[in-house]
Amino acid sequence: MKVLGIETSCDETGVAIFDSDTNAIVSEQLFSQASKHAEYGGVVPEIASRDHLKKLIPLINLTMKDSGYTLKDIDGIAYTAGPGLRGPLLIGSSTAKAIALSLNKPSIGVHHMEAHLLINLLENPAPSFPFLTLLISGGHCLLINAKSLGNYEIIGQTLDDAVGEAFDKVAKILELGYPGGPKIETLAKEGNPAAFNFPRPMTDKNNHNFSFSGLKTAVFYESKKTKEISSSQKADIAASFQAAVADTLLFKTRSALQETGLKELVIGGGVASNKYIREILVAGLSDKNIFFPPIARCTDNGAMIAYAGSYYLNKADKNLSLNIKPRWPLSEL
Ligand code: KG4
Ligand code: ZN
């Protein structure tokens, strides 16, 4: 079965084809709009919608050409139905449904965060249910007991900013540009992670929730202490902020693993591409099996949508069309 996947939830237009017979992504294309939003310091939904509209069909054509297949060979079309930005979601879903209708094939709306989680199952070795999942992206910070396909218990989440959002906001404070995550990771390599003792939020609380807005405020006040902040101070702040995030994620993930007794940990979402955070988690949880997607499949991409869609197209026993859900808790699947 060949599934065409379309991702348009935010500022990346992603298209891919997954072939379940060979269990492989046959072809994939990605266009990042990041540079178009950079001058505004964050994603502008209207610009994102217009750009998806411009790029999506050419990217689908490119993906098809690269795969050697034609649309007639496709067995179903998966698209991100939510959560995400309303306009961008509508572009992806209406394009997917129009193609599906014209081919008389099913289309399936995929949950974006479930796709971030499931893409780990395409790796070799792959985790097996049940496992703990840490999803860290621009819009979410979730600890999930993934019991089986579609059965996800959220055991911890952020009370305010998502992790990626905190990276983006701190990058703005340090005037590094958008998107902040990769910029902070690069700058942090030149800094001392112990230079500033930023808070490890909520690590004194007996639950699995997160809060990153206080940490961001602590960075803000530190950066305002001197009138002219030097580049080495900036690097120290970036490194110390990143260390505070990594320590917090490690602390909370470790306690969630202890409480649930789960042995395998799956990590996903844009922030999972951060090598420093990966190293801290791997070193701190050396007795657990940890699974990360390849770096390019941590941030938004079409492959994860095509792959997640393949699970649900297999179970095509009901109306597969779905309206978009800009807000869609994973627990409501
Ligand atoms: O999963 P994703 O591509 O989109 C959402 O579903 O939100 O995640 C994007 C987020 C952004 O906030 C971005 O700054 C962050 O992931 N990010 C990173 C890195 N690469 C992307 N954060 C830290 N380090 C990185 N290397
Ligand atoms: Zn994402």
Side-chain angles (χ1 to χ4, degrees):
M1 187 175 67
K2 292 174 198 66
V3 183
L4 176 68
I6 295 176
E7 156 63 30
T8 61
S9 68
C10 190
D11 61 347
E12 254 106 26
T13 317
V15 180
I17 297 169
F18 171 71
D19 186 346
S20 63
D21 298 332
T22 55
N23 199 37
I25 298 293
V26 182
S27 164
E28 60 185 312
Q29 297 289 335
L30 187 78
F31 179 80
S32 172
Q33 306 173 352
S35 62
K36 297 191 191 300
H37 300 286
E39 64 178 293
Y40 304 98
V43 178
V44 182
E46 184 59 26
I47 293 177
S49 299
R50 283 167 194 252
D51 207 63
H52 285 305
L53 201 54
K54 210 151 87 189
K55 299 288 173 6
L56 185 53
I57 301 283
L59 277 186
I60 292 173
N61 287 336
L62 221 71
T63 310
M64 294 309 311
K65 199 170 159 207
D66 181 50
S67 72
Y69 297 122
T70 68
L71 276 176
K72 289 207 173 77
D73 299 316
I74 297 296
D75 299 292
I77 295 129
Y79 60 91
T80 307
L85 299 171
R86 184 175 292 273
L89 288 173
L90 280 171
I91 310 283
S93 65
S94 50
T95 306
K97 285 181 190 179
I99 296 173
L101 202 66
S102 73
L103 299 172
N104 197 23
K105 298 280 166 66
S107 66
I108 178 86
V110 167
H111 191 292
H112 182 86
M113 299 313 289
E114 184 181 27
H116 271 305
L117 180 159
L118 290 177
I119 193 65
N120 281 278
L121 300 182
L122 188 56
E123 293 306 305
N124 188 11
S128 45
F129 289 110
F131 49 76
L132 186 75
T133 308
L134 174 68
L135 287 184
I136 38 181
S137 73
H140 295 82
C141 182
L142 297 169
L143 270 169
I144 299 159
N145 182 349
K147 297 176 175 173
S148 59
L149 181 71
N151 185 0
Y152 309 116
E153 184 194 353
I154 294 176
I155 59 172
Q157 58 192 313
T158 181
L159 304 180
D160 40 58
D161 292 351
V163 198
E165 192 181 354
F167 268 92
D168 293 335
K169 286 178 176 170
V170 165
K172 213 169 184 175
I173 292 169
L174 298 177
E175 296 175 348
L176 301 177
Y178 174 85
K183 307 243 184 214
I184 289 191
E185 182 175 11
T186 305
L187 184 62
K189 288 190 186 123
E190 293 156 33
N192 173 8
F196 301 100
N197 187 21
F198 288 133
R200 273 64 177 157
M202 308 277 288
T203 47
D204 56 343
K205 299 274 185 299
N206 195 17
N207 60 40
H208 307 305
N209 290 331
F210 303 87
S211 162
F212 292 103
S213 86
L215 172 58
K216 169 198 67 192
T217 308
V219 170
F220 176 78
Y221 284 120
E222 192 57 53
S223 72
K224 295 293 165 212
K225 270 190 185 157
T226 45
K227 235 185 183 162
E228 233 5 83
I229 175 169
S230 70
S231 51
S232 74
Q233 272 173 314
K234 264 192 193 182
D236 282 346
I237 291 179
S240 302
F241 161 75
Q242 188 175 253
V245 171
D247 286 353
T248 306
L249 293 175
L250 171 61
F251 184 94
K252 290 286 182 176
T253 305
R254 189 190 279 135
S255 76
L257 282 165
Q258 268 160 7
E259 193 183 287
T260 57
L262 293 167
K263 300 274 180 293
E264 294 188 330
L265 171 66
V266 163
I267 304 178
V271 184
S273 57
N274 184 298
K275 294 204 182 85
Y276 178 86
I277 291 178
R278 284 179 177 232
E279 279 163 19
I280 294 287
L281 289 170
V282 168
L285 300 166
S286 52
D287 56 329
K288 305 286 176 197
N289 287 332
I290 308 188
F291 301 85
F292 294 97
I295 299 275
R297 297 223 176 109
C298 290
T299 43
D300 294 349
N301 62 84
M304 68 183 197
I305 305 302
Y307 183 62
S310 74
Y311 281 89
Y312 291 100
L313 280 169
N314 270 331
K315 299 185 174 179
D317 59 350
K318 51 185 181 232
N319 178 13
L320 289 172
S321 77
L322 185 86
N323 290 325
I324 60 152
K325 293 185 185 177
R327 289 180 186 279
W328 187 8
L330 200 53
S331 50
E332 278 180 15
L333 268 181

